[in-house]
Amino acid sequence: MTLSSLLEAAITGLVRFETVMQKEKLPRREREKLRQRQEILTAGLTLFSEKGFHNVSMHEIAEEAEFAIGTLYKFFQNKEDLYRALVLEQCSLFAAAFNEALEQGEDEIEKLRNYVRAQYKMFRSHLPFVRLFIAESRGVSYSIKAGLDQELRARYYRLLEKIASVFESGIRNKRFGNIASPYHLAVSLDSTIHAFLLLCLDEPEKHPFPEDPDTILNIFFQGMLNG
Amino acid sequence: MTLSSLLEAAITGLVRFETVMQKEKLPRREREKLRQRQEILTAGLTLFSEKGFHNVSMHEIAEEAEFAIGTLYKFFQNKEDLYRALVLEQCSLFAAAFNEALEQGEDEIEKLRNYVRAQYKMFRSHLPFVRLFIAESRGVSYSIKAGLDQELRARYYRLLEKIASVFESGIRNKRFGNIASPYHLAVSLDSTIHAFLLLCLDEPEKHPFPEDPDTILNIFFQGMLNG
DNA sequence: ACATATTATGACGCTTAGTTCACTTTTAGA
DNA sequence: TCTAAAAGTGAACTAAGCGTCATAATATGT
């Protein structure tokens, strides 16, 4: 397995990056390179999340990562390439966590609870990336969007389908009432979770994220219409 | 009433811009200036929404608006100032429409229906701005964020409070069950509407926005838990 | 019609930042 | 130890675009 195919796999979301780094027995030099690459990405993440894509220069990233500018260009074709790699890698972590959560759990309700928990957990443990992503995953550059947004959007739709399939299965076996299309329910649940996380990001003490996932889920589980 | 105070009012969202332009009897030259200003803003909106803040130059805006660059600087201190004015003006239109919607309607349910309808209506009639806002309201530049984001966030929180008050009143007079805090319900409803609109923006034929507002509202009105 | 004030213009200066590449340093094998 | 290849470096090149300001055009009042 070559370095580039490993990177490819990591980027595609098949393998977690850490796993790649630890498990595979690459020649020492290759492992070293991979670690350096990672350090550059980390520096980039830090800076991008603090100041935004357009307000961070390659010089800054180089300085933060303690490399010369030229070195960055040994790893990444250009600034966009670096950014793209960074975002895709992080997104893969998120995707893996969410997919896993939706597969764990006895019944549909438990799967959904796990999903809410996973969102919160990833959110908390990856704040810089969350900030970066929320801030400008969509607005960075229309040329980046072309390559990156498409891939990410496709992934997001896949995730929505997966959530929808949980609702669908719950409706099929009568655990849930058939109050709306599974897809609509998925969209609604997911956006609600995000909204709560966003508010929490803004002012954690004013809008704390509910510890109990049912605080959110009950909005969907219990109807509010009387009479 | 001076020009600047009128602009101030328009920006603060107290008066619609068109109203300002038509009703008030300003000296001819002043009205002319206002129209020119508006033309520049429109040019800016078009370009920003197509290419994003950082990929549009002042030269381009000048060309699109058919003015010389220097002229833009007679109206706006700099590029950020222009952008800020643009966003605030558009946001005021949205705020006015949403607030009005939430005030019209016999009961709480009708108010919420009106709100959903208003969101869709504004969305459809202001697509360029929607695109711009979604794409990079947050990621433009951290210096803009400071001034603009704060103001807009405050407005958004006010809107959420207003939606929450509708839920609260509905719960108080027993029309709604007390299944979650009014604020949580507001957050959830609003984010759901946005999510639907967003999907619709991406692929209108695949994710059409539901004509009937109850398609969305029923997710909240009718609980889905059986047994 | 003329003079003066106001407004519009766009070539140019200056800064910033992405990228390159000739050179230095390090590594690895003979 | 020596040498060739690989990796690392950062000064310098280049491009882009913001904002200025001296000048031209236009409007206003006499």
Side-chain angles (χ1 to χ4, degrees):
Chain A
M1 206 175 197
T2 66
L3 172 58
S4 68
S5 78
L6 275 172
L7 285 174
E8 183 66 26
I11 278 165
T12 321
L14 299 173
V15 196
R16 297 214 191 181
F17 207 90
E18 299 92 329
T19 316
V20 174
M21 283 174 59
Q22 287 157 12
K23 278 210 178 150
E24 304 294 334
K25 272 251 194 64
L26 291 162
R28 213 202 78 242
R29 203 70 242 289
E30 293 292 291
R31 272 183 298 147
E32 180 73 6
K33 269 179 87 169
L34 218 44
R35 223 196 45 226
Q36 287 181 95
R37 196 189 127 104
Q38 199 57 24
E39 258 167 58
I40 295 170
L41 287 180
T42 304
L45 175 56
T46 306
L47 291 169
F48 285 139
S49 72
E50 278 169 8
K51 310 165 62 175
F53 180 79
H54 290 283
N55 304 311
V56 172
S57 70
M58 290 296 268
H59 283 78
E60 276 180 276
I61 299 175
E63 196 172 2
E64 172 82 22
E66 291 176 272
F67 285 105
I69 315 136
T71 311
L72 303 206
Y73 286 89
K74 289 279 197 290
F75 288 92
F76 305 98
Q77 291 207 325
N78 51 44
K79 195 184 171 186
E80 286 198 7
D81 188 34
L82 195 162
Y83 181 82
R84 212 194 310 272
L86 172 62
V87 172
L88 282 174
E89 186 209 303
Q90 295 280 308
C91 281
S92 297
L93 294 181
F94 278 68
F98 296 157
N99 279 303
E100 197 192 322
L102 283 167
E103 280 156 17
Q104 307 284 325
E106 290 295 299
D107 56 15
E108 289 81 10
I109 296 179
E110 204 50 50
K111 282 173 199 279
L112 294 176
R113 284 197 187 111
N114 279 337
Y115 178 64
V116 176
R117 286 193 201 102
Q119 282 270 5
Y120 186 45
K121 195 176 148 204
M122 290 307 282
F123 176 85
R124 286 217 304 192
S125 56
H126 292 75
L127 272 183
F129 177 64
V130 168
R131 242 182 282 272
L132 171 60
F133 194 75
I134 287 169
E136 57 183 1
S137 61
R138 291 163 173 278
V140 182
S141 150
Y142 276 55
S143 57
I144 295 189
K145 277 187 73 169
L148 194 132
D149 227 50
Q150 216 173 5
E151 166 68 17
L152 296 185
R153 211 175 307 187
R155 275 200 211 171
Y156 181 61
Y157 286 140
R158 255 178 279 144
L159 180 67
L160 280 182
E161 294 288 359
K162 194 152 192 170
I163 302 173
S165 79
V166 175
F167 280 116
E168 201 271 329
S169 133
I171 292 170
R172 195 157 13 87
N173 62 35
K174 308 285 184 201
R175 217 180 304 271
F176 298 151
N178 188 7
I179 65 163
S181 89
Y183 195 76
H184 284 180
L185 290 170
V187 169
S188 186
L189 171 62
D190 196 59
S191 67
T192 294
I193 297 171
H194 282 138
F196 275 94
L197 290 173
L198 263 175
L199 289 182
C200 176
L201 186 67
D202 260 12
E203 304 181 59
E205 55 298 321
K206 198 174 157 191
H207 310 288
F209 193 81
E211 276 302 316
D212 183 2
D214 287 349
T215 307
I216 290 177
L217 289 171
N218 276 346
I219 295 176
F220 302 91
F221 290 157
Q222 309 188 336
M224 53 185 304
L225 221 49
N226 288 337
Chain B
M1 205 173 197
T2 67
L3 173 57
S4 68
S5 78
L6 274 171
L7 285 175
E8 184 65 26
I11 278 165
T12 320
L14 298 172
V15 195
R16 299 215 191 179
F17 208 90
E18 298 93 332
T19 316
V20 175
M21 285 175 58
Q22 286 157 12
K23 278 206 180 155
E24 305 294 335
K25 272 249 195 65
L26 292 161
R28 213 202 76 240
R29 204 71 242 287
E30 292 293 290
R31 272 184 296 147
E32 180 72 7
K33 270 179 85 170
L34 217 44
R35 224 196 44 226
Q36 287 181 86
R37 195 189 128 103
Q38 199 57 23
E39 257 167 58
I40 295 171
L41 288 179
T42 304
L45 174 55
T46 306
L47 291 170
F48 285 139
S49 71
E50 278 168 7
K51 309 165 65 175
F53 181 80
H54 289 284
N55 303 311
V56 173
S57 69
M58 289 298 265
H59 283 77
E60 275 181 277
I61 299 175
E63 197 172 3
E64 172 81 22
E66 291 176 272
F67 285 106
I69 317 137
T71 310
L72 301 206
Y73 287 89
K74 290 278 195 291
F75 290 93
F76 306 98
Q77 289 208 325
N78 51 45
K79 193 184 173 187
E80 290 197 1
D81 189 34
L82 193 161
Y83 180 83
R84 211 194 311 271
L86 172 63
V87 171
L88 281 175
E89 186 209 304
Q90 295 281 307
C91 282
S92 296
L93 294 181
F94 278 68
F98 297 157
N99 279 303
E100 196 192 322
L102 284 167
E103 280 154 20
Q104 306 284 326
E106 290 296 297
D107 55 15
E108 289 81 11
I109 296 179
E110 203 51 48
K111 281 173 201 278
L112 294 176
R113 284 197 186 111
N114 280 336
Y115 178 64
V116 176
R117 287 193 200 101
Q119 281 271 4
Y120 186 45
K121 196 176 146 205
M122 291 305 284
F123 176 86
R124 285 217 304 193
S125 56
H126 292 75
L127 272 183
F129 177 64
V130 168
R131 242 183 282 273
L132 171 59
F133 194 74
I134 287 168
E136 56 181 4
S137 60
R138 290 162 173 279
V140 182
S141 151
Y142 275 57
S143 56
I144 295 190
K145 274 188 74 167
L148 193 131
D149 229 51
Q150 214 172 7
E151 166 68 17
L152 296 185
R153 214 174 303 188
R155 276 201 211 171
Y156 181 61
Y157 287 141
R158 254 179 279 146
L159 181 67
L160 280 182
E161 294 287 0
K162 194 152 191 169
I163 303 171
S165 78
V166 175
F167 280 116
E168 200 270 329
S169 133
I171 292 170
R172 193 155 16 88
N173 61 35
K174 307 288 185 201
R175 218 180 303 273
F176 298 152
N178 188 7
I179 64 163
S181 89
Y183 195 75
H184 283 180
L185 289 170
V187 169
S188 185
L189 172 62
D190 196 60
S191 68
T192 294
I193 298 171
H194 281 138
F196 275 94
L197 291 173
L198 263 175
L199 290 182
C200 176
L201 187 68
D202 259 12
E203 304 180 58
E205 56 296 321
K206 199 174 159 194
H207 310 288
F209 192 82
E211 276 302 314
D212 183 2
D214 286 351
T215 307
I216 290 177
L217 290 171
N218 277 346
I219 294 176
F220 301 90
F221 290 157
Q222 310 188 336
M224 55 186 304
L225 221 49
N226 288 338

